């Protein structure tokens, strides 16, 4: 919480409790509750407590918040929701929340920025805020100390802005000094206003990331909606309505290195408990009725499909990484996700072993048949969370009667719905352990800290402090701490502390090959994983990258395969062949190989064939061969080795080759492609494939 400045008294104050208006009737839907009544509705796991720290009128329709390096608390009020706003007369705003008497409750507020369309997310940056408000990302700053923004710069424009539930959002500072954002794969042509001559970036099908310090912006794999969590090793986890926790395994910069890769979905659902949730509220009338109608339609069409009205994720939102130090240790690293339709908070525990490429998300030990928090108040809408500097977890409760875009509801059901009910309400809660003692908490004041003090904070047990300290050092550009950072890189107590030192050096343009070598040989696999990525900047480390395809940790080997694809063929092809031979059943490893040009090359296929790679079956082998054969057909590059395969392998190669030829839309084939097709036809016993090949031969084409 922040102390009120002596020279400035905000004018906005008011009562924290609200009672329903007497002239409002609630026939089909519940009435709102006071803050005290809402707290009574919460069913929280043992060992924790929850209290209110802000409510209307200081916050209304809150969807996200941020606390800057000096402890100033900002909250986004998305008052345009759920309708498409007027771009010239927006209703969204950003408030500064103020605790005037240091009792832990925000009892005053002031508008930092007002009357802006569709703000969804903010991120402290250079003593101001980055603001996601589709179609824009702004930089806003208070330059005269009154907590009101008097500087607004447009950084990006062109993002999709036709649906408030599906647009650019969740600005998040990454371990690697990139700022990440969800875009749900929505279309748009994004311009970077600091580089007016740069070509616009097409946004369809992916998320977004940028670095203002380097003047870079680019696509990122994934289609996150509202909710983005970056863990200590910079792995992204995002939320999308039904799928409450997804990740992406291959970054866009690898996935789009060539245009001959057959379609591959980067999003991966990592939950081991499917869609079930333990809801305490009944479904609202409109949802129950709509679901019944849809189910009757499915049944009439004899579709094996179930329309869930409740008890299953449909409105997952705000997935957040808990990196605090106040909760018991077993909660560190959890992902907390709100289910705004189910009025609950879900927690996922992430695990990844050396035998895995990705994580698995599981329920906590106390939440096998319940949620971390569930409410009996149907107005409770936990849109997002914030892991704060005191080590506890903030809950941002939009608190409203309906939380659904009107375009998804039948017209007759909308007649009884008030989509504005709750537009004057909103709450923020703080979850703490029952035995939490706030007396030892010291609010942050980083802007006045020295370089050595900031370096020391990279070892803080709370990720909030580590992130802000890294950001402060990178923003200052002060290289006087390079020696201390190198010491920390080699002596830090944990891998994620050593990584903080490594990426702070990178952000200061002080990274040298010796630093990366230290990471490549680190005892912790997650550090080696990042060492490989950073080694791409140094050509002299190519052999070290390729060598790590044999790393005992599978996820490290996976990254080595991705990075090896950028190396010259003399280095890459032997390493990629080793990876495929070592992991014959792993389809993900095969996909990592074929994202690169060496991975779909005739040289690699020929080498594998000569080594009798296809003498036995394997799921990874099948994925690799399908990708190579498809690329050969698409690019009209007949590979002789495809014609030497027999049995099932010939069938697999021929089918994929034909798909590639069809996708190329070429009218004619080269003589060498014709000879390859004949060879495959002679080698396969599949009559359907034989007929398809025969129809493509020049003498049989009409």
């Amino acid at each position: 919480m922040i102390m009120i400045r002596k020279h400035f008294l905000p004018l906005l104050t008011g009562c924290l409790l609200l009672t329903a208006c007497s002239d409002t009737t609630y026939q089909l839907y519940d009435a709102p509750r006071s803050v005290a009544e809402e707290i009574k509705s919460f069913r929280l796991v043992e060992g924790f407590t929850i209290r209110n720290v802000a409510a209307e009128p200081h916050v209304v329709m809150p969807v996200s918040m941020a606390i800057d390096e000096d402890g100033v608390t900002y909250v986004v009020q998305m008052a345009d929701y759920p309708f498409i706003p007027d771009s010239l007369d927006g209703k969204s705003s950003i408030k500064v929340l103020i605790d005037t008497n240091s009792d832990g409750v925000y009892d005053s507020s002031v508008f930092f920025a007002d009357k802006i369309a569709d703000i969804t997310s903010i991120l402290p940056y250079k003593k101001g805020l980055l603001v996601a408000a589709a179609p824009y990302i702004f930089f806003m700053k208070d330059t005269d100390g009154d907590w009101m923004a008097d500087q607004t710069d447009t950084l990006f424009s062109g993002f999709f802005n036709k649906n408030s539930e599906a647009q650019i959002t969740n600005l998040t500072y990454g371990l690697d000094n990139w700022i990440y954002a969800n875009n749900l794969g929505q279309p748009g042509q994004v311009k970077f206003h600091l580089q007016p001559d740069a070509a616009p970036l097409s946004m369809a099908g992916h998320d977004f990331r940028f670095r203002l310090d380097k003047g870079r912006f680019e696509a990122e794999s994934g289609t996150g909606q509202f909710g983005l969590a970056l863990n200590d090793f910079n792995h992204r986890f995002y939320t999308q309505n039904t799928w409450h926790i997804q990740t992406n395994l291959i970054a866009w910069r690898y996935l789009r290195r060539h245009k001959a890769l057959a379609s591959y979905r980067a999003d991966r659902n990592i939950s081991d408990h499917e869609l079930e949730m333990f809801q305490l509220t009944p479904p609202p009338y409109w949802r129950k009725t709509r679901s019944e109608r849809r189910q009757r339609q499915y049944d009439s069409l004899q579709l094996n499909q179930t329309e869930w009205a409740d008890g299953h994720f449909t409105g997952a939102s705000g997935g957040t990484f808990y990196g605090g130090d106040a909760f018991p240790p077993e909660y560190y690293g959890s992902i907390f996700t709100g289910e705004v339709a189910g009025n609950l908070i879900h927690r996922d525990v992430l695990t990844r072993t050396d035998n895995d490429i990705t994580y698995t998300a599981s329920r906590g030990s106390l939440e096998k048949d319940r949620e971390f928090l569930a409410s009996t108040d149907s107005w409770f809408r936990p849109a997002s969370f914030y892991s704060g500097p005191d080590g506890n977890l903030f809950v941002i409760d939009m608190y409203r009667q309906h939380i659904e875009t009107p375009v998804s509801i039948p017209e007759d059901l909308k007649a009884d719905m008030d989509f504005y009910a709750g537009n004057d309400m909103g709450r923020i809660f703080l979850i703490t352990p029952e035995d939490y003692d706030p007396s030892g908490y010291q609010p942050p004041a980083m802007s006045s800290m020295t370089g050595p003090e900031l370096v020391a904070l990279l070892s803080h047990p709370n990720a909030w402090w580590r992130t802000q300290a890294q950001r402060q050092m990178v923003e200052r550009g002060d290289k006087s701490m390079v020696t201390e950072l190198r010491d920390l890189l080699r002596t830090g107590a944990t891998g994620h502390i050593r990584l903080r030192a490594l990426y702070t050096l990178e952000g200061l343009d002080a990274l040298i090959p010796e630093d990366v070598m230290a990471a490549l040989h680190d005892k912790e696999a997650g550090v080696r994983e990042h060492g490989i990525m950073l080694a791409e900047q140094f050509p002299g480390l190519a052999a070290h990258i390729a060598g790590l395809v044999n790393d005992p940790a599978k996820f490290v080997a996976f990254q080595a395969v991705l990075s090896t694809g950028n190396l010259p063929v003399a280095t890459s092809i032997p390493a990629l062949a080793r990876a495929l031979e070592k992991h014959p059943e792993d389809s993900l490893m095969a996909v990592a190989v074929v994202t690169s040009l060496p991975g779909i090359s005739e040289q690699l296929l020929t080498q594998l064939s000569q080594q009798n790679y296809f003498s036995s079956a394997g799921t990874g082998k099948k994925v690799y061969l399908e990708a190579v054969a498809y690329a050969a057909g698409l690019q009209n590059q007949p590979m002789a080795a495809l014609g030497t395969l027999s049995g099932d392998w010939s069938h697999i190669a021929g089918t994929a080759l034909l798909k590639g030829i069809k996708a190329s839309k070429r009218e004619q084939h080269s003589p060498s492609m014709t000879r390859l097709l004949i060879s495959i036809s002679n080698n396969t016993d599949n009559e359907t494939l034989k007929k398809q090949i025969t129809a493509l031969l020049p003498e049989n084409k009409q």
Side-chain angles (χ1 to χ4, degrees):
M1 313 300 172
I2 63 171
M3 292 295 295
I4 188 167
R5 302 182 190 182
K6 300 294 184 181
H7 66 282
F8 181 76
L9 290 174
L11 299 178
L12 296 174
T13 60
C15 178
L16 294 182
L17 301 180
L18 177 97
T19 55
C21 298
S22 58
D23 59 345
T24 303
T25 58
Y26 297 94
Q27 298 176 347
L28 298 176
Y29 303 103
D30 294 337
R33 306 184 190 186
S34 69
V35 172
E37 291 169 337
E38 185 184 9
I39 289 176
K40 291 178 181 178
S41 78
F42 296 145
R43 305 294 182 266
L44 184 60
V45 296
E46 293 82 357
F48 291 90
T49 187
I50 184 169
R51 63 190 179 93
N52 181 257
V53 295
E56 60 276 352
H58 300 303
V59 289
V60 294
M61 299 185 70
V63 294
S64 63
M65 65 177 285
I67 299 176
D68 74 7
E69 63 273 11
D70 290 327
V72 180
T73 300
Y74 302 88
V75 62
V76 172
Q77 302 185 134
M78 195 179 176
D80 298 291
Y81 182 87
F83 301 103
I84 297 175
D86 183 337
S87 60
L88 300 178
D89 186 26
K91 296 180 176 62
S92 293
S93 59
I94 303 168
K95 270 189 175 179
V96 176
L97 299 183
I98 303 159
D99 176 5
T100 61
N101 57 7
S102 300
D103 66 349
V105 176
Y106 297 107
D107 51 13
S108 187
S109 59
V110 63
F111 282 102
F112 177 81
D114 195 12
K115 298 181 180 179
I116 300 169
D118 261 3
I119 305 176
T120 58
S121 175
I122 52 177
L123 181 70
Y125 180 78
K126 286 196 171 182
K127 301 186 184 299
L129 292 179
L130 297 174
V131 179
Y136 305 106
I137 294 178
F138 299 112
F139 173 68
M140 297 182 178
K141 187 175 182 178
D142 161 28
T143 64
D144 57 11
D146 63 358
W147 289 325
M148 301 178 186
D150 45 51
Q151 173 187 339
T152 300
D153 301 321
T154 301
L155 301 179
F156 297 97
S157 64
F159 294 103
F160 175 83
N161 66 333
K162 303 303 181 185
N163 183 345
S164 59
E165 293 184 357
Q167 59 191 33
I168 194 72
T169 189
N170 292 123
L171 299 171
T172 306
Y173 193 89
L175 171 71
D176 56 359
N177 301 305
W178 284 82
I179 295 168
Y180 291 82
N182 286 351
N183 179 64
L184 197 59
Q186 297 292 349
Q189 294 294 316
V190 171
K191 290 284 292 181
F192 185 25
H193 288 240
L194 300 185
Q195 293 180 2
D197 295 331
L201 174 67
S202 175
M203 289 299 300
H206 54 77
D207 288 335
F208 183 62
R209 71 174 192 164
F210 61 97
R211 281 189 71 163
L212 298 179
D213 61 330
K214 307 293 185 185
R216 298 176 62 186
F217 66 109
E218 62 188 40
E220 185 51 282
S221 297
T223 53
Q225 193 172 15
F226 193 73
L228 172 59
L230 285 172
N231 72 356
D232 282 334
F233 292 94
N234 213 55
H235 297 114
R236 289 188 302 130
F237 307 93
Y238 41 88
T239 311
Q240 196 270 313
N241 274 358
T242 301
W243 306 112
H244 71 276
I245 185 164
Q246 297 184 90
T247 190
N248 78 300
L249 300 176
I250 303 178
W252 190 266
R253 63 187 182 275
Y254 302 121
L255 200 55
R256 291 297 183 267
R257 285 182 285 197
H258 62 77
K259 297 181 180 180
L261 183 66
S263 60
Y264 171 74
R265 182 174 174 83
D267 302 301
R268 186 177 181 87
N269 172 29
I270 61 170
S271 171
D272 67 0
H273 45 284
E274 300 306 325
L275 304 181
E276 185 184 41
M277 64 181 186
F278 300 106
Q279 182 176 350
L280 299 182
T281 51
Y285 172 78
W286 69 264
R287 182 179 292 277
K288 182 176 182 294
T289 305
R290 187 185 69 177
S291 295
E292 290 171 347
R293 292 176 182 177
R294 288 178 174 177
Q295 192 62 55
R296 285 195 294 270
Q297 183 179 19
Y298 300 152
D299 294 344
S300 68
L301 296 173
Q302 296 184 325
L303 299 177
N304 184 23
Q305 186 171 342
T306 301
E307 173 76 12
W308 300 106
D310 60 348
H312 292 72
F313 285 101
T314 60
S317 177
T320 300
F321 171 75
Y322 173 72
D325 57 343
F327 285 18
E330 60 268 27
Y331 286 85
Y332 186 91
S334 296
I335 306 297
F336 287 90
T337 304
E339 220 303 341
V340 294
N343 320 111
L344 56 85
I345 299 172
H346 179 79
R347 181 173 76 101
D348 281 296
V349 179
L350 301 182
T351 56
R352 180 179 70 166
T353 71
D354 282 356
N355 295 321
D356 299 324
I357 288 177
T358 189
Y359 294 81
T360 298
S362 306
R363 286 184 171 274
S365 59
L366 298 179
E367 297 136 58
K368 299 301 183 183
D369 58 356
R370 59 169 300 176
E371 301 298 341
F372 180 77
L373 183 152
S375 175
T376 59
D377 184 354
S378 64
W379 285 54
F380 175 54
R381 310 294 187 183
S384 64
F385 309 87
Y386 191 76
S387 186
D390 66 353
N392 293 303
L393 187 70
F394 289 91
V395 179
I396 295 93
D397 176 11
M398 207 172 180
Y399 205 75
R400 55 187 296 104
Q401 190 174 67
H402 302 295
I403 192 157
E404 179 81 12
T405 175
V407 299
S408 299
I409 301 175
E411 290 297 323
D412 64 311
L413 297 180
K414 285 191 285 190
D416 294 312
M417 299 173 67
D418 179 3
F419 288 100
Y420 295 99
N423 277 26
D424 56 350
M425 305 177 76
R427 286 94 190 258
I428 298 177
F429 298 94
L430 186 69
I431 297 177
T432 70
E434 288 180 335
D435 59 357
Y436 173 69
D437 180 5
S439 62
Y441 170 65
Q442 293 294 322
M446 288 193 191
S447 61
S448 60
M449 285 186 174
T450 65
E453 288 174 322
L454 291 174
V455 172
L457 285 178
L458 295 181
S459 300
H460 198 285
N462 186 338
W464 184 94
W465 291 84
R466 298 195 297 270
T467 300
Q468 305 311 318
Q470 176 182 340
R471 180 175 65 83
Q472 289 297 293
M473 285 188 279
V474 172
E475 288 180 5
R476 293 182 190 182
D478 181 5
K479 297 185 180 182
S480 64
M481 292 295 103
V482 165
T483 299
E484 288 81 357
L485 289 167
R486 289 208 169 99
D487 288 342
L488 186 62
L489 170 60
R490 288 158 177 81
T491 63
T494 65
H496 60 259
I497 290 173
R498 296 192 292 276
L499 275 180
R500 287 285 177 187
L502 184 70
Y503 275 109
T504 304
L505 287 167
E506 188 276 342
L508 293 172
D509 293 323
L511 199 65
I512 59 176
E514 289 76 12
D515 300 328
V516 179
M517 283 295 293
L520 291 172
H521 291 95
D522 196 275
K523 61 184 178 182
E524 189 159 343
V527 180
R528 300 197 299 275
E529 182 182 23
H530 280 273
I532 293 167
M533 287 183 252
L534 290 171
E536 294 178 22
Q537 303 176 22
F538 302 97
L541 299 180
H544 295 280
I545 293 174
L548 284 169
V549 299
N550 295 317
D551 195 277
K554 199 171 184 181
F555 59 87
V556 176
F558 183 75
Q559 179 57 52
V561 167
L562 291 170
S563 296
T564 295
N566 291 332
L567 303 179
V569 293
T571 303
S572 61
I573 287 182
L576 296 178
R578 288 198 305 274
L580 288 170
E581 290 167 346
K582 186 177 180 180
H583 305 282
E585 295 293 340
D586 198 308
S587 59
L588 289 174
M589 197 69 76
V591 171
V593 169
V594 299
T595 60
S596 68
L597 286 172
I600 59 167
S601 68
E602 186 169 12
Q603 297 100 305
L604 179 57
L605 177 64
T606 299
Q607 178 172 327
L608 290 168
S609 297
Q610 292 172 348
Q611 295 171 351
N612 296 317
Y613 180 67
F614 298 105
S615 62
S616 60
T619 303
K621 294 180 181 184
K622 180 176 181 292
V623 170
Y624 163 74
L625 183 59
E626 286 175 334
V628 172
Y630 175 87
L634 183 71
Q635 299 180 124
N636 194 26
Q637 294 180 344
M639 299 181 183
L642 294 175
T644 66
L645 300 172
S646 60
D648 289 342
W649 292 121
S650 182
H651 179 212
I652 291 168
T655 302
L657 183 69
L658 292 182
K659 287 181 180 178
I661 291 172
K662 182 178 180 180
S664 73
K665 299 181 180 180
R666 288 189 306 273
E667 294 296 328
Q668 295 183 337
H669 312 297
S670 65
S672 55
M673 181 63 80
T674 299
R675 288 193 294 273
L676 174 59
L677 289 168
I678 292 172
S679 295
I680 292 175
S681 180
N682 291 336
N683 290 342
T684 184
D685 295 327
N686 186 282
E687 294 300 324
T688 300
L689 179 59
K690 284 178 177 288
K691 290 179 181 179
Q692 291 172 335
I693 290 175
T694 300
L696 277 180
L697 297 178
E699 62 268 24
N700 297 321
K701 297 191 73 172
Q702 298 298 320

